[in-house]
Amino acid sequence: MTKVSEHQEEREAAAAPGNTPEPAKKSSRAGRNLPAAIAVGVALGAAILVSLFTVRYVFIGIVAAAIAVGTVELASAFRKAANIKVALVPVLVGGQAMIWLAWPFGREGALTAFVLTVLLCLLWRLPGGADGYLRDVGASVFAAAYLPLFAAFAAMLVPPEDGVGRVLSFMIVVVASDTGGYVAGVLRGKHPMAPSISPKKTWEGFAGSLTAGVIAGGLCLQFLLDGMAWQGVLFGAAIVLTATLGDLMESLIKRDLGIKDMGNTLPGHGGIMDRLDSLLPSAVVSWLLLSAFVATT
């Protein structure tokens, strides 16, 4: 059989009914599987809303579960990409203590648990010897601070009488920032914000985040927490800044490790850590600003 006839048969086979190759799945311009991302986002949002409007302290359980999964993802990424061994057991146990002790004891409970976690990480790594000791302990302390300690501030939003409003304000502004940035970036994004860190993040997207975040902040502070409009504007702008920086910081971590996502737990999003990046630093700033702007009852 000649090459010409072989190619002819291949073309005929490809054109035959039922043999049409399936088109490749398309992702959005921002690199996400948009339908999956929306479905996961709606499901997570529904779980949070149900917890807040039934037994609001269940929200702390959701935070604790997410942080546990995120800690495992981060430790796994460190180990696989750079052979860095996070003291997983101390960070997991200490992390849960930080979050749950923040509920009845506030800052003192979270910080006490953090200090004890650091001490346990130092001791846990001793049997491994001197080789890589500082590297592994440093990564363990980083993981303990970056995930559960920051998340403890989200837990501290819950106990006040208006805790539901505080949590909703925090979550709504972060979601508004993410959504506004996504839409503006897809439609208008032309000027990279930090091309060496996150090539798809643009100044136009940041402007969309800022616009949506400030509007959401103003509305939330006024209608959910009886605050002032100017407080909401400042709150929204601050959360947009921390959410954006959190996203960039995690992008930098992933670039340093040479990975695209921290995991694949959430379809369309990557791992849990890929969703927590903007929430974690924003939780700290939310607690600080809402404590200053809104009287605790």
Side-chain angles (χ1 to χ4, degrees):
M1 183 180 292
T2 66
K3 289 185 178 180
V4 174
S5 61
E6 287 176 358
H7 293 325
Q8 178 67 26
E9 287 186 4
E10 289 173 0
R11 286 194 295 270
E12 290 174 354
N19 289 338
T20 304
E22 293 184 5
K25 292 183 179 179
K26 294 183 179 180
S27 59
S28 67
R29 284 178 58 189
R32 295 184 188 180
N33 181 339
L34 191 56
I38 292 174
V40 170
V42 169
L44 292 175
I48 290 170
L49 288 175
V50 169
S51 71
L52 290 174
F53 288 104
T54 52
V55 181
R56 59 178 169 167
Y57 290 102
V58 173
F59 173 75
I60 299 177
I62 294 175
V63 171
I67 292 303
V69 175
T71 300
V72 173
E73 286 181 352
L74 186 65
S76 177
F78 280 0
R79 185 182 67 255
K80 291 178 181 178
N83 197 31
I84 298 173
K85 300 177 180 66
V86 171
L88 188 56
V89 172
V91 175
L92 280 174
V93 174
Q96 293 301 301
M98 289 178 226
I99 293 168
W100 288 106
L101 290 177
W103 168 13
F105 301 113
R107 290 170 295 177
E108 291 79 6
L111 290 174
T112 299
F114 174 69
V115 171
L116 293 175
T117 301
V118 171
L119 291 174
L120 190 54
C121 288
L122 291 168
L123 295 173
W124 191 269
R125 182 56 179 76
L126 282 177
D131 186 25
Y133 179 81
L134 184 59
R135 175 199 63 196
D136 293 345
V137 169
S140 300
V141 174
F142 169 77
Y146 182 44
L147 280 87
L149 183 60
F150 280 15
F153 285 88
M156 286 191 284
L157 293 172
V158 178
E161 190 173 315
D162 58 356
V164 172
R166 291 172 187 252
V167 174
L168 285 176
S169 296
F170 155 56
M171 298 294 294
I172 288 171
V173 174
V174 172
V175 171
S177 172
D178 187 44
T179 304
Y182 175 80
V183 172
V186 168
L187 296 179
R188 299 289 183 181
K190 294 180 180 179
H191 301 89
M193 188 177 188
S196 63
I197 301 174
S198 183
K200 292 180 180 178
K201 190 171 290 296
T202 63
W203 284 109
E204 290 82 1
F206 178 72
S209 292
L210 190 60
T211 301
V214 165
I215 292 172
L219 293 174
C220 286
L221 263 288
Q222 280 189 288
F223 295 106
L224 294 179
L225 296 171
D226 294 325
M228 305 293 291
W230 67 267
Q231 293 174 329
V233 169
L234 288 179
F235 177 74
I239 296 307
V240 169
L241 182 60
T242 55
T244 302
L245 290 175
D247 190 21
L248 289 173
M249 285 187 291
E250 176 144 338
S251 294
L252 200 56
I253 292 170
K254 290 188 287 188
R255 281 189 171 275
D256 189 25
L257 295 175
I259 59 177
K260 182 179 183 295
D261 293 318
M262 285 291 185
N264 55 8
T265 309
L266 302 176
H269 293 270
I272 287 282
M273 280 299 302
D274 297 296
R275 288 295 83 204
L276 293 176
D277 53 6
S278 58
L279 290 166
L280 289 170
S282 298
V284 180
V285 174
S286 292
W287 181 82
L288 289 170
L289 290 180
L290 293 180
S291 296
F293 290 159
V294 183
T296 302
T297 55

